[in-house]
Amino acid sequence: QVQLVESGGGLVQPGGSLRLSCAASGFTLDGYTIGWYRQAPGKERELVASIAVNARITNYADSVKGRFTISRDNAKKMVYLQMNSLKPEDTATYSCNARYLNNGDGIWGQGTQVTVSL
């Protein structure tokens, strides 16, 4: 099957860090634009960060700029989201998405929960 599986979520105190991973199986990441999304209960899903096919272009939501870093390793079929200086507002389910040549809805993972709390 073609799928993405996220991992690395958990409970962390404000100011802490987590690194989320997204592993691809059944396909290679070559040619895919990657995005990390998050959704909190009662809120719409939002794009947190994206990375271009060639990995030279990245974009971040204003709320996470300077704190989060997206990266990819096509050879390992992995995508990462390094999250630093976490805030309670970052609490959400984080999902990765891969779109071939930035086309269509793409492939979605099931998500990993991140909770930032004392």
Side-chain angles (χ1 to χ4, degrees):
Q1 292 184 359
V2 174
Q3 63 180 33
L4 297 171
V5 179
E6 300 94 340
S7 62
L11 175 64
V12 63
Q13 294 186 352
S17 298
L18 285 174
R19 189 176 80 157
L20 306 183
S21 298
C22 176
S25 62
F27 72 107
T28 65
L29 292 177
D30 294 354
Y32 285 83
T33 297
I34 307 297
W36 278 100
Y37 293 77
R38 68 185 181 188
Q39 186 169 28
K43 299 181 64 178
E44 292 187 354
R45 185 175 61 193
E46 64 173 335
L47 177 63
V48 175
S50 64
I51 185 167
V53 171
N54 65 5
R56 292 188 59 83
I57 301 173
T58 57
N59 294 101
Y60 299 92
D62 288 342
S63 59
V64 307
K65 284 182 179 178
R67 300 188 297 119
F68 289 12
T69 303
I70 187 172
S71 61
R72 63 190 295 166
D73 187 335
N74 288 2
K76 295 181 178 179
K77 302 172 67 174
M78 296 289 293
V79 183
Y80 307 98
L81 184 68
Q82 178 66 47
M83 306 185 296
N84 299 325
S85 302
L86 284 163
K87 305 174 181 179
E89 308 93 89
D90 296 319
T91 296
T93 297
Y94 286 73
S95 302
C96 61
N97 169 259
R99 290 178 290 135
Y100 186 65
L101 301 180
N102 202 32
N103 181 54
D105 291 334
I107 304 165
W108 285 92
Q110 293 300 304
T112 185
Q113 178 66 36
V114 172
T115 302
V116 184
S117 179
L118 294 172

